[in-house]
Amino acid sequence: MIDLKQFELWFVTGSQSLYGPAVLREVAAHSQEIAAALSASAAVPVRVVFKPVLTSPEAIAALCQEANTATACVGVVTWCHTFSPSKMWINGLRLLRKPVLHLHTQHNRDIPWSSIDMDFMNLNQAAHGDREHGFIMSRLRMNRKVVVGHWQEPSVQQRLGAWARAAAAWHDAQGARFARFGDNMREVAVTEGDKVAAQIRFGYGVNGYGVGDLVRCVNGVTDADIDRLTREYEQTYAMASDLRAGGARHASVREAARIELGLRAFLTAGDFKGFTDTFEDLHGLAQLPGIAVQRLMAEGYGFGAEGDWKTAALVRAMKVMASGLPGGTSFMEDYTYHFHPAGAKVLGAHMLEICPSIAAGQPSLQVHPLGIGGKADPVRLVFDTPAGPGLNASIVDLGNRFRLLVNEVDVVPAEVPMPKLPVARGVWVPRPNLETAAACWIHGGGAHHTGFSRALTREHLEDYAEIAGIECVMIGADATVYRIKQELRWNEMYYALSQGWNG
């Protein structure tokens, strides 16, 4: 599982030596108090670490260089308690490679109306100190998040916490490795892409491996390990008697366990954070991996079917962002529609690979024919997804840039049970409605594969896109086809111009 408490945000306060040591001691004490409170907040999933108050260009540059190489630091939170002349920050901010959040707050919540004097005013100058600070980041064209409000307010802590999750996902992607077993599904366009451009933009690497490399690991699994894992299956999931030990179809379950153990061994040995496979390249495997993929995703691995490495990396990022939050996150696909006049809906599913972190209740372990791929009947977990808000997200390669599309949805119960559909599934109503959302998605070039989450909100994905410096298109309750088309056109012009703009 992914432990976000291993990560740190550095809380950095700007001031200047003009105010004298007594004021700077008070600034430091206030900053320590705020950092400690944010670190203790349930809304902030990482540790918040106070750093000494910065009052000179040299100190600022040194801290930014230190942050770049600190393995636990996922981002920097800046605040100017007093006035901090922004020219001091230029060299440091130009060096900084970690994400930045600008917290526009002040130590005191209220103005002390009856006692306020110039000493108080000189100490508590964030109202204009942070504007000087914000100017230089705008002048440097820096991507950052700005959060405004008193540091004790839950909404402020929640916004900072959302950004911390995005920063942790970005940190996790730097140097991450993703394995592709086989290529992508033949003749499919959207699962293709420029892996070099992705590594430059996102920091992760994608490489291909022959299915034979995986098969060697699968064939090396011992019967004792298979016995142990099949017992775990029986204790964890609902299973028909003929699938249990001694049953007529137990051999299929054992083969699925062998594949899971071999796949896990391969991923562990290579320190991979995600993977893809394809039903068109299964040479040496008896089944298309089903339950293996589902269980590995539940542990935090990213996955994309049919060679879709961009979605595998996105699912991993969403898993990191969602760590510790209720609701779950999965690879997903809009599979088929319900176009009833009383209310249009989407049935989301995939052939096998939906993560049980989004399951309502105990999943059922089942074996059924696949009807594609020409292999033995695969083992999969079957379940429904509980009702509630969620979202679908897709990253696509447009040739000159990457675009992240996000559609907010409301998961609803199926109108009637689906006993003959042998896959995990969810039913949802896209916001604002199916007709508008699907048209917006298609205009935006969104893929059929997505990362689906009932744990994340649009803010998490917006923050991730801002950190990555990629285009982000949000389709929510206020979306219209006209507005989204206009936004796409404006974005096209912006990204064409900005690539040749050096500031």
Side-chain angles (χ1 to χ4, degrees), residues 6-31:
Q6 65 185 300
F7 299 130
E8 297 174 351
L9 293 180
W10 286 10
F11 192 84
V12 177
T13 307
S15 187
Q16 58 180 326
S17 57
L18 175 69
Y19 300 107
V23 169
L24 291 178
R25 283 194 296 271
E26 193 165 2
V27 168
H30 289 172
S31 299

Side-chain angles (χ1 to χ4, degrees), residues 164-177:
R165 291 178 177 278
W170 178 254
H171 185 81
D172 178 78
Q174 307 313 299
R177 305 181 67 208

Side-chain angles (χ1 to χ4, degrees), residues 270-295:
D271 194 26
F272 294 103
K273 293 181 176 178
F275 62 101
T276 72
D277 62 21
T278 172
F279 62 84
E280 289 186 314
D281 192 352
L282 295 173
H283 182 72
L285 293 178
Q287 307 172 9
L288 175 63
I291 190 173
V293 173
Q294 293 176 293
R295 285 167 52 86

Side-chain angles (χ1 to χ4, degrees), residues 202-255:
F202 298 104
Y204 61 75
V206 182
N207 288 293
Y209 297 86
V211 178
D213 297 326
L214 173 58
V215 169
R216 277 194 294 274
C217 291
V218 171
N219 291 342
V221 172
T222 67
D223 286 340
D225 285 337
I226 294 172
D227 292 341
R228 176 192 55 77
L229 185 53
T230 55
R231 285 195 297 271
E232 181 179 330
Y233 290 169
E234 293 186 13
Q235 294 166 3
T236 306
Y237 310 114
M239 293 174 62
S241 59
D242 65 342
L243 297 178
R244 295 176 174 270
R249 294 192 295 161
H250 184 63
S252 294
V253 179
R254 291 185 63 82
E255 189 59 38

Side-chain angles (χ1 to χ4, degrees), residues 216-472:
R216 277 194 294 274
C217 291
V218 171
N219 291 342
V221 172
T222 67
D223 286 340
D225 285 337
I226 294 172
D227 292 341
R228 176 192 55 77
L229 185 53
T230 55
R231 285 195 297 271
E232 181 179 330
Y233 290 169
E234 293 186 13
Q235 294 166 3
T236 306
Y237 310 114
M239 293 174 62
S241 59
D242 65 342
L243 297 178
R244 295 176 174 270
R249 294 192 295 161
H250 184 63
S252 294
V253 179
R254 291 185 63 82
E255 189 59 38
R258 183 188 302 277
I259 292 172
E260 178 182 336
L261 291 162
L263 180 54
R264 186 185 302 276
F266 185 98
L267 297 173
T268 300
D271 194 26
F272 294 103
K273 293 181 176 178
F275 62 101
T276 72
D277 62 21
T278 172
F279 62 84
E280 289 186 314
D281 192 352
L282 295 173
H283 182 72
L285 293 178
Q287 307 172 9
L288 175 63
I291 190 173
V293 173
Q294 293 176 293
R295 285 167 52 86
L296 286 163
M297 254 197 293
E299 294 177 16
Y301 284 93
F303 174 76
E306 295 132 30
D308 190 351
W309 53 271
K310 296 188 296 297
T311 300
L314 176 61
V315 170
R316 169 64 184 190
M318 293 172 70
K319 288 282 188 181
V320 175
M321 284 185 264
S323 179
L325 296 176
T329 298
S330 178
F331 170 77
M332 187 57 76
E333 180 173 279
D334 290 49
Y335 223 98
T336 194
Y337 291 145
H338 182 65
F339 272 135
H340 195 280
K345 302 178 178 69
V346 177
L347 174 60
H350 204 258
M351 293 185 295
L352 302 172
E353 310 96 341
I354 303 300
C355 179
S357 68
I358 65 170
Q362 184 186 40
S364 171
L365 187 151
Q366 300 181 20
V367 178
H368 299 277
L370 186 60
I372 192 169
K375 288 290 184 175
D377 300 347
V379 178
R380 80 291 303 272
L381 300 175
V382 178
F383 51 84
D384 291 296
T385 303
L391 57 79
N392 276 303
S394 168
I395 284 185
V396 294
D397 184 348
L398 296 175
N400 66 335
R401 67 186 187 278
F402 292 92
R403 172 182 288 161
L404 174 65
L405 293 101
V406 180
N407 184 201
E408 295 177 302
V409 305
D410 292 293
V411 182
V412 297
E415 295 193 0
V416 296
M418 297 177 281
K420 293 185 178 181
L421 183 63
V423 293
R425 61 281 180 128
V427 179
W428 59 79
V429 178
R431 299 182 189 173
N433 54 65
L434 174 55
E435 293 83 356
T436 299
C440 292
W441 191 271
I442 289 170
H443 278 295
H448 55 288
H449 291 162
T450 65
F452 170 84
S453 183
R454 292 193 62 252
L456 300 177
T457 67
R458 64 187 295 167
E459 186 171 18
H460 296 99
L461 277 298
E462 285 175 334
D463 289 347
Y464 186 78
E466 183 73 18
I467 291 170
I470 64 171
E471 180 184 3
C472 185

